[in-house]
Amino acid sequence: MSIKIAEEQIKKLLADKENKVIAVMGKWGTGKTYFWKRLKGDKSASDNIKNSLYVSLFGIKDLKQLKFKILQSAFPKGMQDSRFFEAIRTARGFLKTIHNGFAVMDDLALLAVGDCVNGKVIVLDDIERKHEDLDIVEVLGFIDGAVYQHKAQFVLIFNNEKLHDVEKFKTYYEKIIDNEIHYQPASGEIFEITKELIVHENFHNFIEAAIEECEIVNIRIIKKIIKIINILFKNHANIEQNILRKLIRSTILMSAVKYKGIECAPEFEDIFQRKRKFSFLKQEFKKEVSDEKKEDEKWTALKSTFGITEFGEYEALLFNYLSSGAMDENHLLEIINEHLLNVEKLQAQYAASEFRQQLFWNHHLSNEQLVEKARNFINTSHFLDKSTVSIIYKDICKLEGGHEVAEKILDNFCENFEYRYDDFDFETMVGNEVNPRIIQIPEKKKIDYFSNINIFEILYSIQRTSGWGEKEKFVINSTKVEDFERIIVNVEYKEFKFLMLKMLDMYKHISIYREHFGEGIDNFILACRNVYSNSPSERIKKVMKSILENQDCKNILQGE
């Protein structure tokens, strides 16, 4: 139910005095409290809404405390915030220390609650956040008494999925609740609430579109995302808009995963993994698609909507920022500058994403118009990645008269192909199939590309993302014994320390890493043994021995 419809509905319900208790239910972070406060401040609202009393049950331990909260809410705002009310509480406490008989003042004060709620609308918020000592039955009993003795109306605001006293609540629910409103605002409505936080107008449309595509309806998450974008791009708001759009969309997608705003997404720590661990046995024997696979397909489709088939250097930098809270500003600037040098590539990627959206959703375009749009990729397909080219090839082939155009697009990609690392293993990743002609592109191009990558870059990547793929396996396993020896002897001590600790960690957990990096680990161990045995430097031998003993790997020196 949209915010506007919910507002009109509750106005109508409260106008009818027969509706004594109304439940407003919705998930955390969707703006239920904001909804009521906005309604109360609406000039067109009735007097009973404008004069309503509001109390949050967050942390309230007993009924007496709840009644005092209602009493406090009945005071004019100035008196709530002044020292007057605090003085009353202090005096009451002081008198009780003189004689226990003064405790009756509590009960006398609470007698005033009846007059305060008489004929009033009382809003009880955060019911699911009450203290466990406060029984929900007591709360509902108090409500029932206030309704029938003092003609009060109640609005109960809560997240029905997080109630602790569910069974008790269900028992009395139908007896107490007259009407209910399921508060489910759209992401666009939530964005309207938070958009004033955006520091630059160039961000607005990109953020709004991505929030709606992700279907994020949690105000707190959206506020966090906007804050991140403001921090990262406030000094880069005027860069080429396609670049800004791409970076902002990646930021929103990854931040939403970090703060659990996308239900189908993997855990943030697993976002770089090539594929999820599906329940294959369940699928094989029960012949049904597992829930995990369904979620993965949704996640793959969402990434496709964002034009993302691979996570790159910016996403790795962002992952580190969201994990640690520290942003490498120089690295961010380098990435932006690199994007500026590759505007054609970015424009082609955006065009591919837009083409697929038009293909699936724009029913106003004819088959001929779609084929004509597809022709634009004949000279630009080499700017796309393997998976995107394979996908649009398949899509275009389905169009009448599209096969010839699709073949030309594929020809251009293969003829102008320059091997670049795809963060995903597309041949095996669920939801992505690489065209057979692309798979057959000469292996030499891949070897030439990987041969220029520094092993430290690979090890840092593995540590940062806790994931690896074709690139990482190739580089580590192709590092020869003599290469490791040269690195151990010549690198600066900080790199030496990182290399030793990371490779020894792989060695100690060989059952995990053997399948992927076995040859590289074996070469590293032989290199350590050779350096210790053959180096003329007694100092390096002493350091090597100390490290291996401290890491419980001294057996390496013994040839075990």
Side-chain angles (χ1 to χ4, degrees):
M1 182 180 292
S2 71
I3 295 175
K4 191 66 179 174
I5 294 174
E7 286 179 351
E8 293 304 318
Q9 180 70 4
I10 201 165
K11 284 179 183 178
K12 290 178 181 178
L13 291 174
L14 288 173
D16 183 353
K17 297 298 181 181
E18 291 302 311
N19 294 313
K20 300 175 178 64
V21 184
I22 301 165
V24 178
M25 298 176 284
K27 292 183 177 181
W28 281 342
T30 53
K32 298 186 298 297
T33 302
Y34 168 87
F35 154 75
W36 177 261
K37 290 182 178 179
R38 174 174 128 154
L39 180 63
K40 185 174 180 179
D42 186 351
K43 292 180 181 179
S44 66
S46 61
D47 288 341
N48 65 337
I49 291 177
K50 290 178 181 177
N51 298 322
S52 62
L53 305 182
Y54 173 89
V55 173
S56 169
L57 270 67
F58 193 176
I60 289 183
K61 297 179 68 173
D62 55 48
L63 205 56
K64 188 177 292 185
Q65 200 175 30
L66 170 59
K67 290 179 180 180
F68 270 117
K69 284 282 186 180
I70 294 173
L71 193 61
Q72 184 179 6
S73 179
F75 275 68
K77 183 66 176 174
M79 294 181 70
Q80 286 183 35
D81 296 337
S82 71
R83 297 177 182 175
F84 173 76
F85 203 85
E86 185 60 36
I88 291 177
R89 282 199 294 259
T90 304
R92 189 178 74 243
F94 171 72
L95 290 171
K96 282 194 289 185
T97 63
I98 296 174
H99 193 281
N100 286 335
F102 284 109
V104 74
M105 289 187 67
D106 278 349
D107 298 322
L108 291 174
L110 293 179
L111 290 176
V113 173
D115 289 331
C116 289
V117 302
N118 195 46
K120 289 274 192 179
V121 172
I122 317 298
V123 181
L124 300 183
D125 196 0
D126 299 316
I127 291 175
E128 76 281 4
R129 288 186 167 116
K130 69 176 181 60
H131 195 280
E132 60 182 14
D133 288 350
L134 176 60
D135 195 320
I136 191 66
V137 176
E138 288 185 88
V139 177
L140 296 175
F142 165 71
I143 291 170
D144 193 52
V147 163
Y148 288 102
Q149 294 176 33
H150 303 287
K151 309 301 180 184
Q153 288 178 288
F154 280 81
V155 177
L156 310 183
I157 302 176
F158 56 95
N159 181 346
N160 53 306
E161 295 179 358
K162 300 295 181 180
L163 285 170
H164 297 295
D165 308 325
V166 178
E167 294 306 316
K168 287 183 179 179
F169 192 74
K170 284 181 178 178
T171 302
Y172 294 93
Y173 186 84
E174 291 185 4
K175 299 176 183 178
I176 299 292
I177 307 298
D178 296 305
N179 269 289
E180 58 185 34
I181 293 175
H182 291 270
Y183 183 72
Q184 296 174 313
S187 54
E189 293 180 297
I190 298 294
F191 175 75
E192 285 297 312
I193 297 171
T194 58
K195 67 181 183 181
E196 63 183 22
L197 300 174
I198 300 173
V199 299
H200 200 287
E201 61 182 1
N202 287 353
F203 303 162
H204 186 284
N205 290 341
F206 300 149
I207 295 175
E208 182 178 18
I211 292 294
E212 290 195 21
E213 287 170 39
C214 290
E215 299 181 349
I216 305 171
V217 292
N218 187 300
I219 290 178
R220 286 184 286 274
I221 293 176
I222 294 176
K223 284 182 176 180
K224 287 179 180 180
I225 289 172
I226 291 174
K227 183 178 180 181
I228 290 168
I229 290 170
N230 288 340
I231 291 171
L232 295 183
F233 301 112
K234 63 183 178 182
N235 296 325
H236 308 291
N238 293 311
I239 62 174
E240 207 278 331
Q241 291 301 285
N242 280 330
I243 294 174
L244 183 63
R245 176 184 182 275
K246 175 181 172 61
L247 296 177
I248 284 178
R249 286 171 68 79
S250 286
T251 303
I252 290 172
L253 188 66
M254 290 193 64
S255 300
V257 175
K258 166 69 176 177
Y259 299 117
K260 301 186 183 303
I262 302 176
E263 292 184 0
C264 66
E267 292 296 318
F268 182 67
E269 293 74 16
D270 300 330
I271 198 169
F272 286 99
Q273 295 294 328
R274 276 61 186 172
K275 55 184 178 180
R276 297 188 189 183
K277 296 178 179 178
F278 299 131
S279 304
F280 285 115
L281 290 176
K282 178 180 176 183
Q283 294 176 37
E284 181 179 348
F285 292 108
K286 295 190 176 181
K287 303 297 182 184
E288 62 182 28
V289 180
S290 68
D291 291 340
E292 295 96 330
K293 186 172 182 180
K294 287 179 182 178
E295 292 299 292
D296 190 86
E297 288 171 347
K298 290 179 185 177
W299 171 240
T300 301
L302 180 61
K303 287 196 284 97
S304 178
T305 300
F306 271 64
I308 297 174
T309 53
E310 60 183 75
F311 287 123
E313 189 176 4
Y314 174 68
E315 287 74 25
L317 177 67
L318 186 61
F319 179 90
N320 191 50
Y321 169 65
L322 293 172
S323 300
S324 67
M327 170 54 72
D328 186 337
E329 295 289 347
N330 291 329
H331 194 181
L332 175 61
L333 186 59
E334 288 173 5
I335 290 172
I336 290 174
N337 289 335
E338 185 177 341
H339 278 305
L340 289 170
L341 294 174
N342 292 282
V343 172
E344 285 182 306
K345 176 182 176 182
L346 191 63
Q347 289 174 338
Q349 291 172 340
Y350 174 71
S353 176
E354 183 64 18
F355 174 77
R356 297 202 75 221
Q357 290 295 307
Q358 297 276 350
L359 178 66
F360 286 108
W361 296 106
N362 191 348
H363 58 85
H364 299 293
L365 291 178
S366 66
N367 184 91
E368 290 74 20
Q369 288 173 313
L370 287 168
V371 172
E372 192 59 35
K373 283 181 175 291
R375 290 184 185 279
N376 294 325
F377 297 110
I378 291 175
N379 297 317
T380 61
S381 60
H382 57 289
F383 292 120
L384 305 174
D385 60 78
K386 296 184 294 185
S387 178
T388 301
V389 171
S390 301
I391 290 169
I392 64 171
Y393 172 87
K394 186 184 293 185
D395 290 339
I396 296 167
C397 281
K398 294 176 183 177
L399 298 172
E400 185 179 346
H403 188 269
E404 181 182 350
V405 175
E407 286 295 330
K408 289 180 179 179
I409 290 170
L410 195 57
D411 288 342
N412 178 73
F413 179 85
C414 294
E415 289 169 10
N416 296 284
F417 179 80
E418 291 183 8
Y419 194 88
R420 54 188 179 276
Y421 170 60
D422 292 328
D423 245 350
F424 291 98
D425 181 358
F426 289 107
E427 286 77 11
T428 58
M429 179 182 171
V430 173
N432 289 285
E433 295 179 6
V434 175
N435 188 280
R437 281 180 60 190
I438 296 176
I439 295 174
Q440 293 169 11
I441 290 174
E443 187 75 7
K444 184 179 182 301
K445 289 188 176 182
K446 179 165 65 175
I447 295 172
D448 290 343
Y449 174 80
F450 284 159
S451 298
N452 293 320
I453 298 176
N454 187 299
I455 190 171
F456 286 100
E457 177 186 336
I458 296 301
L459 293 175
Y460 280 121
S461 173
I462 293 173
Q463 177 168 287
R464 184 176 63 247
T465 66
S466 299
W468 55 81
E470 187 180 4
K471 177 174 73 169
E472 288 81 5
K473 289 188 283 189
F474 179 90
V475 172
I476 291 178
N477 288 325
S478 63
T479 304
K480 299 180 175 61
V481 175
E482 54 268 29
D483 295 329
F484 275 119
E485 289 179 19
R486 175 177 48 77
I487 294 170
I488 290 170
V489 171
N490 294 314
V491 294
E492 294 295 325
Y493 82 94
K494 289 184 179 179
E495 289 184 321
F496 169 74
K497 175 184 176 182
F498 177 73
L499 174 77
M500 295 298 293
L501 292 179
K502 188 61 186 175
M503 292 302 298
L504 288 174
D505 179 69
M506 288 184 174
Y507 171 73
K508 289 191 289 185
H509 299 92
I510 194 67
S511 60
I512 297 173
Y513 293 106
R514 167 65 70 188
E515 177 186 354
H516 310 285
F517 306 111
E519 186 176 352
I521 294 171
D522 290 342
N523 289 345
F524 169 75
I525 298 304
L526 283 173
C528 290
R529 198 174 295 154
N530 291 346
V531 170
Y532 181 79
S533 301
N534 304 326
S535 175
S537 169
E538 292 300 320
R539 171 64 180 160
I540 197 170
K541 290 182 178 181
K542 184 176 180 180
V543 170
M544 291 283 290
K545 184 177 181 180
S546 175
I547 292 169
L548 295 172
E549 287 179 348
N550 286 335
Q551 293 297 311
D552 198 24
C553 296
K554 60 183 179 180
N555 58 313
I556 289 175
L557 301 178
Q558 301 163 2
E560 297 177 12

